[in-house]
Amino acid sequence: MSDGNLSDRAGESERSAGEAQHFDVLIVGAGISGIGAAWHLQTQAQGKTFRIVETLEGFGGTWWTHRYPGVRSDSDLHTFGYRFKAWRGPPIATAQEILAYMGEVIDENDIARHIQYRTRVLTADWSEADCQWVVELEDVESGARSRMTAGFLWMCQGYYRHSEGYTPEWPGMDDFRGRLIHPQTWPEDLDYAGKRIIVIGSGATAATLIPALADAAGHVTMLQRSPTYFTPGRNRNELAETLRELEIDPVWTHEIVRRAMLKTGAQMTKRALEQPAEVREELLGVLRGLLGDDYVAEHFTPRYDPWRQRIAFVPNGDFFQAVKAGKAGVVTDEIDRFVAEGIRLKSGKVLEADIIITATGFNLNVLGDIAFSVDGRPVDLSQSVTYRGMMFTGLPNLAWVFGYFRASWTLRADLMGDFVTRLLRYMDEKGLRRVEPALRPEDAGMKLGPWIDETEFNPGYLMRGVHLMPKAGDKPEWRHTQDYWGEKDLLPNLDLDDPIFRYR
């Protein structure tokens, strides 16, 4: 596995004093999307020079920064893994297993030499005269500034700020005598053995943390304002295990299981949208069998229909087993204020704690918090319009990988890898240097709205920051759809001669 701690400063020997390095493509971010983008460039756009710049000291993104106990995927790795790299482990994987998998991709494809770690992108200015991006970089360790130019920007930095998680401001937080922690910045020195712990939040992070803490802690309480949908199941794929027992080629096994998982996911999503009451009863019925009718009615019955937010899979039901064993519990109430000994609820009850963990979500990060401009004129991203959630009006030669909410992120990263490399090859064949999506005459007066309709998908992190995101139109070309099953056929066949694409 590649050593993520080694910042190889790839290519510094190429840089002459005062001269900016130039690459055909600059990839921002060395997480699951960025490493995938590098693979696509090397295999589908051979000859293109590229560099990956990464703020962190290692590859992996989420799987590098998230180090809280029990951290694991909330998507199955048969679909969250790359389509070009077989996954050989259990469906739900730990952070270390995912990092090892990504490290193999890096090693097998000689990608490490292209990665420049501990490098932050500050600004990106498009030069119309030169048809290239001029990017200002900062060395995270020394603060030294440098410049790089690129013909195309491939934004793979994700959608949330890695440096800090989202913690609401509650009254009295300074009064609490214990430790207050966000999972995204987990302290390595935390000793929680025998401690009373409150985990604020009801999403996948809370459901992951609680069983990991429960054995050593005195007691763990999940404090939620409102319930989330959970579904327990074995962390084992019977089809995958059967194919492995039959010694089927791992590449075939990966593709067969991947297709089966996607088919099952498509059917589940379709049913959830068309028959929400029936799906709701099925999900709750499983939990009633584990925890009883009254407990599920009070703590695990959401106010919204299935798939308005992600349904959190609980491998081997470990979260529910901790609750059933009395090592963990759930309180559904609202916070009035923090007090010295813990949290006082709106009901008047005080929950005592030695440690409070705010599993309260992310801070949305729009295109890496980078200051974009065109010929020195600042670009207001919230006033641009998205082309299929990939490109944006007013930003030439740029694509942003933004995955699916109802399916694995990497599915779209792979589809976009095909699209971007095909676009780059097309431009080379035609002798073109600039492309930008633009509204057509028939789009005049098109109704514009938020990036995603809150009636379709409404997690808190997105609703808090959606005003910062590019706009969406009311036509399919100008929306970010959640339909992988449609896009898997549509994106590879997009007409690059469509008038939407303005070339030069």
Side-chain angles (χ1 to χ4, degrees):
M1 174 177 169
S2 298
D3 187 347
N5 289 300
L6 295 178
S7 177
D8 64 356
R9 303 298 181 192
E12 285 203 329
S13 60
E14 303 169 15
R15 185 189 296 127
S16 58
E19 183 181 350
Q21 293 174 279
H22 179 80
F23 297 93
D24 295 325
V25 180
L26 178 61
I27 299 170
V28 180
I32 197 87
S33 301
I35 300 305
W39 182 89
H40 282 277
L41 279 173
Q42 290 193 159
T43 56
Q44 297 173 306
Q46 288 129 340
K48 287 289 183 187
T49 61
F50 70 92
R51 173 64 47 83
I52 306 173
V53 293
E54 169 57 61
T55 305
L56 303 170
E57 62 268 31
F59 64 86
T62 292
W63 311 109
W64 180 270
T65 58
H66 288 199
R67 302 190 178 197
Y68 55 84
V71 59
R72 63 194 179 198
S73 63
D74 65 349
S75 296
D76 74 277
L77 263 293
H78 298 293
T79 59
F80 186 75
Y82 301 112
R83 72 159 188 257
F84 56 81
K85 168 73 172 173
W87 176 253
R88 300 167 190 254
I92 300 299
T94 66
Q96 285 306 311
E97 289 170 331
I98 296 170
L99 286 173
Y101 171 81
M102 291 182 65
E104 289 175 8
V105 172
I106 291 170
D107 290 343
E108 291 164 3
N109 297 281
D110 193 24
I111 292 172
R113 64 191 177 91
H114 297 283
I115 308 175
Q116 185 170 316
Y117 295 110
R118 304 297 282 160
T119 303
R120 178 181 292 115
V121 179
L122 300 177
T123 66
D125 181 55
W126 173 257
S127 169
E128 289 287 9
D130 300 320
C131 272
Q132 66 181 18
W133 286 100
V134 180
V135 179
E136 185 178 9
L137 306 170
E138 178 185 61
D139 185 297
V140 173
E141 293 165 1
S142 70
R145 302 286 180 92
S146 62
R147 282 193 170 189
M148 191 179 288
T149 59
F152 195 94
L153 279 186
W154 200 334
M155 306 300 295
C156 298
Q157 80 298 330
Y159 63 99
Y160 70 90
R161 199 166 295 127
H162 285 271
S163 59
E164 60 175 5
Y166 171 72
T167 298
E169 286 292 325
W170 288 291
M173 292 174 74
D174 292 339
D175 298 336
F176 177 53
R177 290 196 298 256
R179 294 193 70 171
L180 185 62
I181 296 162
H182 192 285
Q184 202 170 311
T185 49
W186 191 267
E188 293 182 6
D189 65 343
L190 183 66
D191 178 10
Y192 55 86
K195 306 291 187 183
R196 299 165 300 174
I197 302 173
I198 297 173
V199 178
I200 304 173
S202 60
T205 301
T208 298
L209 258 172
I210 289 167
L213 298 172
D215 282 338
H219 188 267
V220 186
T221 299
M222 182 172 85
L223 172 58
Q224 61 178 6
R225 184 173 53 188
S226 59
T228 297
Y229 285 104
F230 292 100
T231 180
R234 297 178 67 192
N235 191 17
R236 173 186 172 90
N237 185 286
E238 297 299 337
L239 176 59
E241 295 302 323
T242 299
L243 294 172
R244 287 165 186 157
E245 287 172 10
L246 294 173
E247 299 182 351
I248 302 298
D249 186 318
V251 175
W252 288 21
T253 295
H254 183 64
E255 183 63 20
I256 292 168
V257 175
R258 185 180 176 87
R259 292 193 184 196
M261 296 292 289
L262 288 170
K263 182 73 171 177
T264 302
Q267 292 170 340
M268 174 62 173
T269 301
K270 186 172 187 291
R271 287 193 61 230
L273 297 177
E274 294 178 356
Q275 301 172 313
E278 288 87 343
V279 172
R280 176 187 179 89
E281 278 308 301
E282 289 173 15
L283 292 170
L284 298 183
V286 174
L287 300 189
R288 290 183 189 118
L290 290 170
L291 302 174
D293 293 356
D294 292 343
Y295 205 87
V296 171
E298 184 175 0
H299 302 302
F300 290 101
T301 303
R303 303 167 186 164
Y304 56 92
D305 287 337
W307 270 130
R308 297 298 182 193
Q309 298 180 20
R310 285 183 73 91
I311 298 174
F313 179 72
V314 180
N316 303 317
D318 56 7
F319 170 41
F320 304 110
Q321 296 304 326
V323 173
K324 198 171 181 180
K327 297 177 180 179
V330 182
V331 172
T332 303
D333 204 333
E334 293 190 43
I335 295 172
D336 178 46
R337 63 175 292 112
F338 279 55
V339 293
E341 62 272 30
I343 295 175
R344 189 171 71 209
L345 305 174
K346 291 276 179 77
S347 63
K349 181 180 178 181
V350 173
L351 296 180
E352 296 185 355
D354 305 299
I355 299 169
I356 297 175
I357 300 168
T358 57
T360 43
F362 306 124
N363 282 310
L364 193 68
N365 171 308
V366 182
L367 282 172
D369 290 334
I370 296 164
F372 284 92
S373 57
V374 172
D375 281 342
R377 298 186 305 276
V379 173
D380 182 352
L381 293 170
S382 70
Q383 297 307 305
S384 65
V385 182
T386 182
Y387 170 70
R388 298 191 184 278
M390 300 189 298
M391 301 174 73
F392 311 95
T393 58
L395 285 176
N397 290 28
L398 180 145
W400 182 19
V401 178
F402 202 107
Y404 297 113
F405 298 119
R406 297 194 183 111
S408 292
W409 182 276
T410 320
L411 293 169
R412 198 163 204 265
D414 271 335
L415 287 175
M416 282 193 61
D418 295 336
F419 169 77
V420 172
T421 51
R422 184 164 71 96
L423 178 63
L424 293 174
R425 293 196 309 271
Y426 175 88
M427 291 174 68
D428 283 347
E429 291 164 5
K430 301 289 186 179
L432 303 167
R433 296 180 62 197
R434 183 190 191 280
V435 61
E436 177 189 337
L439 299 180
R440 304 156 297 185
E442 61 263 38
D443 299 320
M446 177 177 61
K447 182 181 178 181
L448 299 179
W451 172 272
I452 193 162
D453 188 334
E454 67 176 305
T455 63
E456 294 179 11
F457 196 76
N458 57 11
Y461 66 84
L462 194 57
M463 294 301 99
R464 287 192 302 271
V466 73
H467 63 285
L468 303 172
M469 298 281 283
K471 296 285 190 295
D474 59 6
K475 299 179 181 179
E477 301 94 324
W478 303 109
R479 298 193 67 78
H480 172 38
T481 176
Q482 289 300 307
D483 182 17
Y484 163 75
W485 302 273
E487 285 200 329
K488 74 180 178 59
D489 299 319
L490 185 147
L491 294 188
N493 295 299
L494 288 174
D495 181 7
L496 297 181
D497 287 322
D498 190 304
I500 280 177
F501 298 110
R502 302 288 176 85
Y503 296 103
R504 194 179 81 203

